[in-house]
Amino acid sequence: MLESVSWVEKNFNETPDAIFIFRDDQLLVSNHAAQTLQADYELSTAYITKLMNSVVRQQHSDTNDCFNCVVLDMAKTAIPFTLPVKNGHPLSFFLVYSELDTAQNVYSLTLKSNDLMQRVDQLAQQRKLVQYVNRAHEEERKRLSQDLHDSIAQGVYSSIMGVRHLETTVSQADPEAFARQTKLIESQLYATLQEIKGMALDIRPSVLDSFGLSAALKALAKRLEENTGIDITVVARDTAELKLSEDVQTVLYRIAQEAMTNAIKHAEANEINLFLVAHEHEISLEVIDDGSGFDVKQHVSFNGHSLGLLNMNERVKSLHGTFQIKSEKGSGTTVTATFPIA
Amino acid sequence: MGDEKLAKNIAYHDLVRMIYQQEDFDFVGVALQDDTSWRKIHWRYAAGNTSQRFRKIILRSGIGIAGLVIRTGEPFAENDLAHHQYAGYMSQPITMIEHLTSAVAIPIFDQNQLVIGVLLAGYRHQQTITAHSGHVLQEYLQRFQ
């Protein structure tokens, strides 16, 4: 028994969160982390008890909307708290209040490091992102397989049927039917060829490798325009001489693709303008649509829809670029990405 | 443009306009396949259209309404376009651009019985397409040819 008490005590002392236990306003016990905090940053216990008391009292008062509600009973009271540091970055914490003994008014205050919690959030976000990327991969494969099956396999199949039919026209010695049939097969094969080329372009634009970013963006815009009827204008300035790394080119291309697909699918845009402009030390890509727009703040945290944007952001950041989305309900969306260039 | 081609042009134009005026469809359009080697399919004639965006579309054979009709030579009718297998801009641009909720489409054949295009008619306000709608289009097309 005595041994286990010493273990508990050891754990209490070594936990990274600073824990204070009070009776009324008197400090009873505090752990190592709390003592260091007090010593290093002149943290006054009177201040945190006062802070906490006012919040707790406010939450337990009749005027509070949530008085007696279940959620409040279940949730521990936590308030954000910043500790000023001389000649340094202020530390931010969450102050968590938990009652230990109501009769004697004994309670503990725990200072949880905000940085740590943010890191946990970031990890969760990362995990969601990985999940999203995987799902997007799978979706892409599904789409490709469907396209292969519906369009190309069907095209080849009807050409085979056409050739079979050709044999009967030969055996019936009907030159007119023969000519008609060859024309039909030719047209089917042409359509299939066109479809294959289109799919190849969708998967990875060969234009990007051979003719550069602006040509690839123009080809992409043309294809989307053909598929949707939306006006897409591409303006590329001073980019001909530019030597961009393959990574940057690919990311810019994918951002343009994602931004335009978003505008078409979700925003019901009528017009999209795309600007690729090289400045002295940076290259910027801007995709502007006149669609329905959305509330950016709502989409910054994760809610399922915004992961595409988050993914773009991550890709840009990994190449030292900046990424920005400006949008308002009813007034379109502007997606901007810039990368430094030598 | 040769006289014959011009005459054909006017004839198609009159056809879609006539169907639009005499029937209660909200949109009537004709897509034709080029006779150049690439055989691209464009929407050429329309009545009841809300914009000129349809002219920009190049159809994909085998995908979407017109694509299916041209590939198979079979008529097509759908009353719930929003939830169709190929719903979405990429595969059904005409229904998206013109906000169609239901549509019927029949193939147009040339004198050699080759599919050269599609005649499509549709509604914007949930009216239903019936087997009769297809027959109506077929009758117009027969009189036209």
Side-chain angles (χ1 to χ4, degrees), chain B residues 96-145:
Chain B
M96 302 291 283
I97 288 171
E98 293 296 334
H99 313 288
L100 303 181
T101 55
S102 52
V104 56
I106 58 167
I108 302 173
F109 295 99
D110 68 358
Q111 61 274 18
N112 294 325
Q113 291 304 304
L114 294 179
V115 187
I116 54 162
V118 191
L119 171 61
L120 177 140
Y123 293 111
R124 294 202 178 94
H125 306 286
Q126 258 82 42
Q127 297 98 318
T128 38
I129 296 285
T130 57
H132 179 67
S133 324
H135 289 310
V136 170
L137 286 190
Q138 204 70 60
E139 270 170 37
Y140 276 103
L141 197 58
Q142 259 157 20
R143 251 183 287 159
F144 169 74
Q145 284 166 337

Coordinates of all heavy atoms in Angstrom, one line a residue, chain B residues 96-145:
Chain B
M96 N -26.6 19.9 -67.2 CA -26.1 20.8 -66.2 C -26.3 22.2 -66.7 O -26.8 23.1 -66.0 CB -24.7 20.5 -65.8 CG -24.4 19.2 -65.3 SD -25.2 18.8 -63.7 CE -24.1 19.6 -62.6
I97 N -25.8 22.5 -67.9 CA -25.8 23.9 -68.4 C -27.2 24.4 -68.6 O -27.5 25.5 -68.3 CB -25.1 23.9 -69.7 CG1 -23.6 23.8 -69.5 CG2 -25.3 25.2 -70.4 CD1 -22.8 23.6 -70.8
E98 N -28.1 23.5 -69.0 CA -29.5 23.9 -69.3 C -30.4 23.6 -68.2 O -31.6 23.7 -68.3 CB -29.9 23.3 -70.6 CG -29.2 23.8 -71.9 CD -29.4 25.3 -72.1 OE1 -30.5 25.8 -71.7 OE2 -28.5 26.0 -72.7
H99 N -29.8 23.1 -67.1 CA -30.6 22.8 -65.8 C -31.8 21.8 -66.1 O -32.9 22.0 -65.7 CB -31.2 24.0 -65.2 CG -30.1 25.1 -65.1 ND1 -29.1 25.0 -64.2 CD2 -29.9 26.3 -65.8 CE1 -28.3 26.1 -64.3 NE2 -28.8 26.8 -65.2
L100 N -31.5 20.8 -66.9 CA -32.6 19.8 -67.2 C -32.8 18.8 -66.1 O -31.8 18.4 -65.5 CB -32.3 19.1 -68.5 CG -32.0 19.9 -69.8 CD1 -31.7 19.1 -71.0 CD2 -33.2 20.9 -70.0
T101 N -34.0 18.5 -65.8 CA -34.3 17.5 -64.8 C -34.6 16.1 -65.4 O -34.5 15.1 -64.8 CB -35.4 17.9 -63.9 OG1 -36.6 18.2 -64.7 CG2 -35.1 19.2 -63.1
S102 N -35.2 16.2 -66.6 CA -35.5 14.9 -67.3 C -35.2 15.2 -68.8 O -35.3 16.3 -69.3 CB -36.9 14.5 -67.1 OG -37.8 15.6 -67.4
A103 N -34.9 14.1 -69.5 CA -34.6 14.3 -70.9 C -34.8 13.0 -71.7 O -34.8 11.9 -71.1 CB -33.1 14.7 -71.1
V104 N -35.1 13.1 -73.0 CA -35.3 12.0 -73.9 C -34.4 12.3 -75.1 O -34.3 13.4 -75.5 CB -36.7 11.8 -74.3 CG1 -37.3 13.0 -74.9 CG2 -36.9 10.6 -75.2
A105 N -33.7 11.2 -75.6 CA -32.8 11.5 -76.7 C -33.0 10.3 -77.7 O -33.1 9.1 -77.3 CB -31.4 11.6 -76.3
I106 N -33.0 10.6 -79.0 CA -33.0 9.5 -80.0 C -31.9 9.8 -81.0 O -31.5 10.9 -81.3 CB -34.4 9.5 -80.7 CG1 -34.7 10.8 -81.4 CG2 -35.5 9.1 -79.7 CD1 -35.9 10.8 -82.3
P107 N -31.4 8.7 -81.6 CA -30.4 8.8 -82.6 C -30.9 9.3 -83.9 O -32.0 9.1 -84.3 CB -29.8 7.4 -82.7 CG -31.0 6.5 -82.3 CD -31.8 7.3 -81.3
I108 N -30.0 10.1 -84.6 CA -30.3 10.5 -86.0 C -29.4 9.7 -86.9 O -28.2 9.6 -86.7 CB -29.9 12.0 -86.1 CG1 -30.7 12.9 -85.1 CG2 -30.2 12.5 -87.6 CD1 -30.3 14.3 -85.1
F109 N -30.0 9.1 -87.9 CA -29.3 8.2 -88.8 C -29.1 8.9 -90.1 O -30.0 9.7 -90.5 CB -30.0 6.9 -89.0 CG -30.1 6.0 -87.8 CD1 -31.3 6.0 -87.0 CD2 -29.0 5.2 -87.4 CE1 -31.3 5.2 -85.9 CE2 -29.1 4.4 -86.3 CZ -30.3 4.4 -85.5
D110 N -28.1 8.6 -90.9 CA -28.0 9.1 -92.3 C -28.6 8.0 -93.2 O -29.1 7.0 -92.7 CB -26.5 9.4 -92.6 CG -25.6 8.2 -92.7 OD1 -26.2 7.1 -92.4 OD2 -24.5 8.3 -93.0
Q111 N -28.5 8.3 -94.5 CA -29.2 7.4 -95.4 C -28.6 6.0 -95.4 O -29.2 5.0 -95.8 CB -29.2 8.0 -96.9 CG -27.8 8.2 -97.5 CD -27.2 9.5 -97.1 OE1 -27.6 10.2 -96.1 NE2 -26.2 10.0 -97.8
N112 N -27.4 5.9 -94.9 CA -26.8 4.5 -94.8 C -27.0 3.8 -93.5 O -26.4 2.9 -93.1 CB -25.2 4.6 -95.0 CG -24.9 5.1 -96.4 OD1 -25.6 4.7 -97.3 ND2 -23.9 5.9 -96.5
Q113 N -27.9 4.4 -92.7 CA -28.2 3.9 -91.4 C -27.1 3.9 -90.4 O -27.0 3.1 -89.5 CB -28.8 2.4 -91.5 CG -30.1 2.3 -92.1 CD -31.2 3.1 -91.4 OE1 -31.4 3.0 -90.2 NE2 -31.8 4.0 -92.1
L114 N -26.2 4.9 -90.6 CA -25.1 5.2 -89.6 C -25.6 6.3 -88.7 O -26.2 7.2 -89.1 CB -23.8 5.6 -90.3 CG -23.2 4.6 -91.2 CD1 -21.9 5.2 -91.8 CD2 -22.8 3.3 -90.4
V115 N -25.2 6.2 -87.4 CA -25.6 7.2 -86.5 C -24.8 8.4 -86.7 O -23.5 8.4 -86.7 CB -25.4 6.8 -85.0 CG1 -26.0 7.8 -84.0 CG2 -26.1 5.4 -84.7
I116 N -25.4 9.6 -87.0 CA -24.6 10.8 -87.2 C -24.9 11.8 -86.1 O -24.2 12.9 -86.1 CB -24.9 11.4 -88.6 CG1 -26.4 11.6 -88.7 CG2 -24.3 10.5 -89.7 CD1 -26.7 12.6 -89.9
G117 N -25.9 11.6 -85.3 CA -26.2 12.6 -84.2 C -27.3 12.2 -83.3 O -27.7 11.1 -83.3
V118 N -27.7 13.2 -82.5 CA -28.7 13.0 -81.5 C -29.7 14.1 -81.5 O -29.3 15.3 -81.7 CB -28.1 12.9 -80.1 CG1 -29.1 12.5 -79.1 CG2 -26.9 12.1 -80.0
L119 N -31.0 13.7 -81.3 CA -32.0 14.7 -81.1 C -32.4 14.6 -79.7 O -32.8 13.5 -79.2 CB -33.2 14.5 -82.1 CG -34.4 15.4 -81.8 CD1 -34.1 16.8 -82.0 CD2 -35.5 15.0 -82.8
L120 N -32.3 15.7 -78.9 CA -32.6 15.6 -77.5 C -33.6 16.6 -77.1 O -33.6 17.7 -77.6 CB -31.3 15.8 -76.7 CG -31.4 15.8 -75.1 CD1 -30.2 15.1 -74.5 CD2 -31.4 17.2 -74.6
A121 N -34.5 16.2 -76.2 CA -35.5 17.2 -75.7 C -35.6 16.9 -74.2 O -35.5 15.8 -73.7 CB -36.8 17.0 -76.4
G122 N -35.9 18.0 -73.4 CA -35.9 17.8 -72.0 C -36.7 18.9 -71.3 O -37.1 19.9 -71.8
Y123 N -36.9 18.6 -70.0 CA -37.7 19.5 -69.1 C -36.8 20.0 -68.0 O -35.9 19.4 -67.6 CB -38.9 18.8 -68.5 CG -39.9 18.3 -69.4 CD1 -40.1 16.9 -69.7 CD2 -40.8 19.2 -70.1 CE1 -41.1 16.5 -70.6 CE2 -41.7 18.8 -70.9 CZ -41.9 17.4 -71.2 OH -42.9 17.0 -72.0
R124 N -37.2 21.2 -67.5 CA -36.5 21.8 -66.3 C -37.2 21.6 -65.0 O -36.7 21.9 -64.0 CB -36.2 23.3 -66.6 CG -35.3 23.5 -67.8 CD -34.7 24.9 -67.7 NE -33.8 25.0 -68.9 CZ -34.2 25.5 -70.0 NH1 -35.4 26.1 -70.1 NH2 -33.4 25.6 -71.1
H125 N -38.5 21.3 -65.1 CA -39.2 21.4 -63.8 C -39.9 20.0 -63.5 O -41.1 20.0 -63.2 CB -40.3 22.5 -63.9 CG -39.7 23.8 -64.2 ND1 -38.9 24.5 -63.3 CD2 -39.6 24.5 -65.4 CE1 -38.5 25.6 -63.9 NE2 -38.9 25.6 -65.1
Q126 N -39.1 19.0 -63.5 CA -39.6 17.7 -63.0 C -40.7 17.0 -63.8 O -41.3 16.0 -63.4 CB -40.0 17.8 -61.5 CG -39.0 17.2 -60.6 CD -37.9 18.2 -60.3 OE1 -38.2 19.4 -60.1 NE2 -36.7 17.8 -60.2
Q127 N -41.1 17.6 -65.0 CA -42.1 16.9 -65.8 C -41.5 15.6 -66.2 O -40.3 15.5 -66.4 CB -42.5 17.7 -67.0 CG -43.1 19.1 -66.7 CD -42.1 20.2 -66.8 OE1 -41.0 20.0 -66.3 NE2 -42.5 21.3 -67.4
T128 N -42.4 14.6 -66.3 CA -41.9 13.3 -66.6 C -41.9 13.0 -68.1 O -42.7 13.5 -68.9 CB -42.7 12.2 -65.9 OG1 -44.1 12.5 -66.0 CG2 -42.3 12.0 -64.5
I129 N -40.8 12.3 -68.5 CA -40.7 11.8 -69.9 C -41.4 10.4 -69.9 O -41.2 9.6 -69.1 CB -39.2 11.5 -70.1 CG1 -38.4 12.8 -70.1 CG2 -39.0 10.8 -71.5 CD1 -38.6 13.7 -71.2
T130 N -42.2 10.2 -71.0 CA -42.8 8.9 -71.1 C -42.4 8.3 -72.4 O -41.6 8.9 -73.2 CB -44.4 9.1 -71.2 OG1 -44.7 10.0 -72.2 CG2 -44.9 9.7 -69.9
A131 N -42.9 7.1 -72.7 CA -42.6 6.4 -73.9 C -43.1 7.3 -75.1 O -42.5 7.4 -76.2 CB -43.2 5.0 -74.0
H132 N -44.2 8.0 -74.8 CA -44.8 8.8 -75.8 C -43.9 9.9 -76.3 O -43.8 10.2 -77.4 CB -46.1 9.4 -75.2 CG -46.8 10.3 -76.2 ND1 -47.4 9.9 -77.4 CD2 -47.0 11.7 -76.2 CE1 -47.9 10.9 -78.0 NE2 -47.7 12.0 -77.3
S133 N -43.1 10.5 -75.3 CA -42.2 11.6 -75.6 C -41.2 11.2 -76.7 O -40.9 11.9 -77.7 CB -41.4 12.1 -74.4 OG -42.2 12.1 -73.3
G134 N -40.7 9.9 -76.6 CA -39.8 9.4 -77.5 C -40.4 9.3 -78.9 O -39.8 9.6 -79.9
H135 N -41.7 8.8 -78.9 CA -42.4 8.6 -80.2 C -42.6 9.9 -80.9 O -42.5 10.0 -82.1 CB -43.8 7.9 -79.9 CG -43.6 6.5 -79.5 ND1 -42.9 5.6 -80.3 CD2 -44.2 5.8 -78.5 CE1 -42.9 4.4 -79.7 NE2 -43.7 4.5 -78.6
V136 N -43.0 11.0 -80.1 CA -43.2 12.3 -80.6 C -41.9 12.7 -81.4 O -42.0 13.1 -82.5 CB -43.5 13.3 -79.5 CG1 -43.5 14.7 -80.0 CG2 -44.9 13.0 -78.9
L137 N -40.8 12.6 -80.7 CA -39.5 13.0 -81.3 C -39.3 12.2 -82.6 O -38.9 12.8 -83.6 CB -38.3 12.8 -80.4 CG -38.2 13.8 -79.2 CD1 -36.8 13.6 -78.6 CD2 -38.3 15.2 -79.7
Q138 N -39.5 10.9 -82.5 CA -39.3 10.1 -83.7 C -40.1 10.5 -84.9 O -39.6 10.5 -86.0 CB -39.7 8.6 -83.2 CG -39.0 7.5 -84.1 CD -37.5 7.5 -83.7 OE1 -37.1 7.2 -82.6 NE2 -36.7 7.7 -84.8
E139 N -41.4 10.9 -84.6 CA -42.3 11.3 -85.7 C -41.7 12.6 -86.4 O -41.7 12.7 -87.6 CB -43.7 11.6 -85.1 CG -44.5 10.4 -85.2 CD -45.8 10.6 -84.4 OE1 -46.4 11.7 -84.5 OE2 -46.3 9.6 -83.8
Y140 N -41.3 13.5 -85.5 CA -40.7 14.8 -86.1 C -39.5 14.4 -87.0 O -39.4 15.0 -88.1 CB -40.3 15.7 -85.0 CG -41.4 16.6 -84.5 CD1 -42.0 16.3 -83.3 CD2 -41.9 17.7 -85.2 CE1 -43.0 17.1 -82.8 CE2 -42.9 18.5 -84.7 CZ -43.5 18.2 -83.5 OH -44.5 18.9 -83.0
L141 N -38.7 13.5 -86.5 CA -37.5 13.2 -87.2 C -37.8 12.5 -88.5 O -37.1 12.8 -89.5 CB -36.6 12.3 -86.3 CG -35.1 12.2 -86.7 CD1 -34.5 13.6 -86.7 CD2 -34.4 11.3 -85.7
Q142 N -38.8 11.6 -88.5 CA -39.1 10.9 -89.7 C -39.6 11.9 -90.8 O -39.2 11.8 -91.9 CB -40.2 9.9 -89.4 CG -39.6 8.5 -89.3 CD -40.4 7.5 -88.5 OE1 -41.6 7.8 -88.3 NE2 -39.8 6.5 -88.0
R143 N -40.5 12.8 -90.3 CA -41.0 13.8 -91.3 C -39.9 14.6 -91.8 O -39.8 15.0 -93.0 CB -42.0 14.7 -90.6 CG -43.5 14.4 -91.0 CD -44.4 15.4 -90.4 NE -44.6 15.0 -89.0 CZ -45.0 15.9 -88.1 NH1 -45.3 17.2 -88.4 NH2 -45.2 15.5 -86.8
F144 N -38.9 14.9 -91.0 CA -37.7 15.7 -91.4 C -36.9 15.0 -92.4 O -36.4 15.6 -93.3 CB -36.9 16.0 -90.1 CG -35.6 16.6 -90.3 CD1 -35.5 18.0 -90.7 CD2 -34.4 15.9 -90.2 CE1 -34.2 18.5 -90.9 CE2 -33.2 16.4 -90.4 CZ -33.1 17.8 -90.8
Q145 N -36.8 13.7 -92.2 CA -35.9 13.0 -93.2 C -36.7 12.6 -94.4 O -36.3 12.3 -95.4 CB -35.3 11.8 -92.5 CG -34.1 12.2 -91.6 CD -33.7 11.1 -90.6 OE1 -34.5 10.2 -90.4 NE2 -32.5 11.2 -90.1

